[in-house]
Amino acid sequence: MSAIETFAERFRTCPVTGLKVNRDSELLIRANAVVAVVAMLVGALAAIGLVLTRWQAIHLLPAEMYYRFLTAHGLNMLIFWILFFEMAVLYFAGPVVLGCRQPAPKLAWAAFGLMVVGAGIVDATVFMGQADVLFTSYPPLRATPNYYLGVILFAVGALIAVSLFFASLVVAKREKTYTGSMPLVTFGGLTAAVIAVITLLHGAAVYIPTWLWSMNVGNIDPEVYRMVWWGLGHSSQQINVAAMVSVWYLLGGLTVGGVVVNEKVSRTAFVLYVLFISMASAHHLLVDPGVGPAWKIWNTSYAMYLAVLASMIHGFTVPAGIEAGQRLRGYTNGMFEWLRKAPWDDPGFSGMWLSLVIFGFLGGITGVTIGTEQINILVHNTLRVTGHFHATVVGGTTLAFMAVTYYVLPLIFRRRVAFWPMAKIQPYVFGAGLTAMAMGMIFMGILGIPRRHWDSSFAGAPFPVEIHPASELVQVLFGIGGLLAATGALMFIAIAVTTVFFGKPVTAEAIAAGASGLPSGVLRLPAQSHTGPLADQVHQQGVKGTLVLVGVFFACFVLYYFTNWKMLSFLWKVG
Amino acid sequence: MSAHEFHSALVPPQGIWWLPAHRQEKTWVAIAFIWCLVLFAMMPLWHFRGGQNPSGIRYRVTPEAYVARVDRFVEEYQVGEESGIPVVAPPPGADVYLLGRMWQWYPVLKLKKGVQYTLHLSSSDLNHGFSLYPVNLNFQVVPGYDYGLRVVPNRSGDFRIICNEFCGIGHHLMVGKVLVED
Ligand SMILES: [Cu+2]
């Protein structure tokens, strides 16, 4: 009897999704998500300073502050915001989706504590001016030893949290909390977790020696550091991609009843990420003196392009699943009724769709192109790199995480989303700003303007630099886009924080009455499985609309890629 | 004939789910795979057929030895001075030594159009970024490594070298100069 009582205390059944949610994981999700949003606030405030400085007409911050803000922005956005949120995703994709208990909750809280302490130390050293080394901290550039220690503590915490995700898979299997194979969302989370382990091991291999070196113990070869560091720096972005794609699948299901068109294809694509991505970090060394062309071609080709293949597959299967899901709900007319009739005023859906489009068109195409050995000569360390990864990590991952938050708030925090009318437009504001900003950066990079650079006018340099006049126009696009994106981020933070602390509770009556602050999938969850004549018919019909969309995508990809080869051929001969 | 079953990514698939993909999906996977092969083939192909490759000659070198080599190079071919930096005009085909250091590119180079040089890049302190402006030719400059790139300037003019790797607060002042004459 007491066992039944504890069970009842520790679990609740989600009235919307029917998921069995245990109390421990739920609290861990909440804590990680809240800290993630705080990190985003720090990063977003820094971003405003950066945009207003690189927008040369304003040029707000002094040089020292600019680089300090840049360091803080990179760490808080790329590491703290995203990883804290990914830990929340793993606590959801593991124990919650599988309906099992949280393994070792105390250890999970210890991991969370380590991550918070580590992040706190890093931010403190950066803002005290003891670590103006930017995100990559290439030696012999040196920060205070505590900076590296902070990174290490954070990573150890993350590693423990990831192992607890693996433990939850074992627990769920052993205690038979579900039947069949693990759902695709969990499988995607699993690939993210495996890549996280690979990444964190690279992190240990690079940050522990660097920490010792910062205390004058041993030596660090700058080129070896670059190689190992990117094993961390790039693979970590692949954790993001895997987690983001899982969130796409999750939101597809929650918002419009998106289905998995083929489990085999989607899972194989996830496995490709795990197998190939860490070698693909080699593409950061394409114009480095440390390694030869054979090494560069080998590592970037077999590995990177198979990871690209994986993304191209998800780029089909995710919209195809949404199309099929919508057709199963009766939107079967023509090529695009499914897309026109999608819930565009549900920020969970619009955010997910914009994330998919921005990631694919703007981030993916540019990324693959600049990851080519020779084209990289045109791009390395220009603002084009920055434009690319803002499109992938911010337009892709961050926007997907924002979108899923609109479901986390009612389902996990059990609050109705505050400022609902603002929430409906938030993904559009953020997505539009981000697109303009990234495109501005890409064009500035094409004009030869460097990244990580305080003064595009080069005032005081021994030789004057005449920057291309078109860059001034592009800077306006970048500046306005950046401010719009920052506004979108602050809107998101205001919505999330207000909801968490002051949001109205989600009740059965509120759902029945269609109250404000509840996204479409919470008001009425679409069917999650289908059989019967309609399913047969949809299977027969296939996904024509998606086929057209990926056709457009492919044409853009080919065009952009070969345009870059053309641009390259105009350069000086070099070999 | 069993009916088709669809489920979302939240539902654990039951039984055998390793089913063949739909024809449309197979087509897209095939196109994507072939495209990846094209992407791969372009890189070795450009090494044989194209003229812009980051291969170069690569050695380890101590910063001291490299600085000594740059000084000898300047001594040998100096033709003038600009902004306090020596201007150096090496003969066609020569090995050209350029040093990146906080916050200067040393020396100023005077080259001839259409002639091949081996341009050596290294640093005596931190990582720097060699960016030839406005040509947009970019290479990483790493202390301890000598990167010797065979370059042929294809037009005459007055070019800049912008440092595009963060190397401290005076990073934006690190602008060098290359003159190419007909
Ligand atoms: Cu420099």
Side-chain angles (χ1 to χ4, degrees), chain B residues 101-103 105 127-129 163-167 171 174:
Chain B
R101 63 184 169 199
M102 292 187 275
W103 291 294
W105 292 104
N127 272 267
H128 295 284
C163 177
N164 66 8
E165 184 62 82
F166 174 68
C167 56
H171 172 44
M174 193 164 160

Side-chain angles (χ1 to χ4, degrees), chain A residues 67 132 134 138-141 179-181 183-185 221-223 226 258-265 267 286-289 291-293 296 300-301 305 309 312 316-317 373-374 377-378 380-381 445-447 450 452-454 458-464 466-468 528-531 535-536 539 542-543 554 557 561 565 568-575, chain B residues 3-14 17-22 24-25 28-29 31-33 35-36 38-40 42-44 46-47 51-56 58 60 82-83 85 108 125-127 132-133 135-140 142-143 145 147 149-154 159-160 162-166 168-169 171-173 175-178 180:
Chain A
Y67 294 118
D132 293 333
L134 304 195
Y138 294 135
L141 204 59
T179 59
S181 304
L184 186 61
V185 168
D221 182 282
E223 188 67 64
R226 285 173 59 77
V259 295
V260 185
V261 178
N262 186 288
E263 290 278 355
K264 175 173 75 173
V265 173
R267 284 172 202 240
L286 290 174
V287 295
D288 266 43
V291 284
K296 290 171 182 172
T300 55
S301 62
Y305 294 141
L309 178 66
M312 286 178 80
F316 178 92
T317 56
E373 193 202 11
Q374 290 90 349
I377 293 173
L378 265 171
H380 181 74
N381 275 354
I446 290 174
L447 295 171
R452 299 176 155 184
H453 202 286
W454 171 63
F458 303 92
F463 307 103
E466 280 174 42
I467 293 293
H468 197 288
Q528 301 290 304
S529 33
H530 309 261
T531 46
D536 291 336
H539 180 68
V543 287
F554 188 63
F557 197 164
Y561 182 69
W565 281 107
L568 183 78
S569 69
F570 295 140
L571 300 189
W572 289 16
K573 285 252 181 306
V574 56
Chain B
H4 196 82
E5 188 263 338
F6 278 115
H7 60 257
S8 81
L10 270 169
V11 176
Q14 307 293 321
W17 45 263
W18 191 257
L19 301 169
H22 193 279
Q24 291 169 337
E25 214 166 0
W28 175 248
V29 174
I31 292 171
F33 183 68
W35 176 238
C36 289
V38 172
L39 295 173
F40 165 62
M42 280 303 289
M43 296 195 285
W46 203 262
H47 273 275
Q52 293 77 20
N53 294 289
S55 344
R58 299 166 312 279
R60 276 180 190 269
E82 259 191 70
S83 305
I85 304 168
V108 171
D125 39 49
L126 301 182
N127 272 267
L132 191 68
Y133 188 87
V135 181
N136 217 358
L137 209 58
N138 303 282
F139 293 96
Q140 188 76 20
V142 183
Y145 291 81
Y147 201 177
L149 294 154
R150 296 175 200 87
V151 296
V152 184
N154 62 357
F159 301 94
R160 294 289 171 269
I162 295 173
C163 177
N164 66 8
E165 184 62 82
F166 174 68
I169 303 305
H171 172 44
H172 65 285
L173 299 172
V175 175
K177 184 170 174 177
V178 179
V180 178

Side-chain angles (χ1 to χ4, degrees), chain A residues 182-368:
Chain A
M182 68 175 80
L184 186 61
V185 168
T186 306
F187 189 80
L190 173 61
T191 60
V194 173
I195 300 168
V197 171
I198 299 173
T199 299
L200 292 165
L201 293 178
H202 279 96
V206 75
Y207 274 104
I208 292 171
T210 308
W211 179 42
L212 294 173
W213 163 80
S214 73
M215 297 182 293
N216 296 312
V217 179
N219 220 334
I220 298 282
D221 182 282
E223 188 67 64
V224 173
Y225 176 93
R226 285 173 59 77
M227 195 185 296
V228 185
W229 192 89
W230 280 110
L232 159 83
H234 191 82
S235 317
S236 65
Q237 302 320 307
Q238 216 60 31
I239 313 173
N240 303 345
V241 173
M244 172 189 73
V245 175
S246 305
V247 166
W248 288 347
Y249 281 114
L250 170 67
L251 282 174
L254 291 177
T255 55
V256 295
V259 295
V260 185
V261 178
N262 186 288
E263 290 278 355
K264 175 173 75 173
V265 173
S266 292
R267 284 172 202 240
T268 309
F270 271 123
V271 172
L272 287 177
Y273 282 149
V274 176
L275 292 180
F276 296 108
I277 202 56
S278 45
M279 306 308 275
S281 305
H283 72 264
H284 287 274
L285 310 179
L286 290 174
V287 295
D288 266 43
V291 284
W295 187 91
K296 290 171 182 172
I297 293 177
W298 175 247
N299 283 296
T300 55
S301 62
Y302 90 92
M304 196 175 87
Y305 294 141
L306 289 172
V308 168
L309 178 66
S311 286
M312 286 178 80
I313 293 174
H314 290 304
F316 178 92
T317 56
V318 172
I322 290 169
E323 178 171 356
Q326 284 282 74
R327 285 179 185 278
L328 287 163
R329 298 168 94 198
Y331 301 117
T332 48
N333 290 332
M335 203 90 93
F336 289 114
E337 194 197 18
W338 62 274
L339 196 56
R340 281 199 315 277
K341 296 277 174 71
W344 294 105
D345 60 349
D346 175 353
F349 180 83
S350 62
M352 176 264 289
W353 188 266
L354 289 171
S355 158
L356 176 74
V357 170
I358 297 173
F359 181 88
F361 278 84
L362 202 54
I365 291 176
T366 56
V368 176

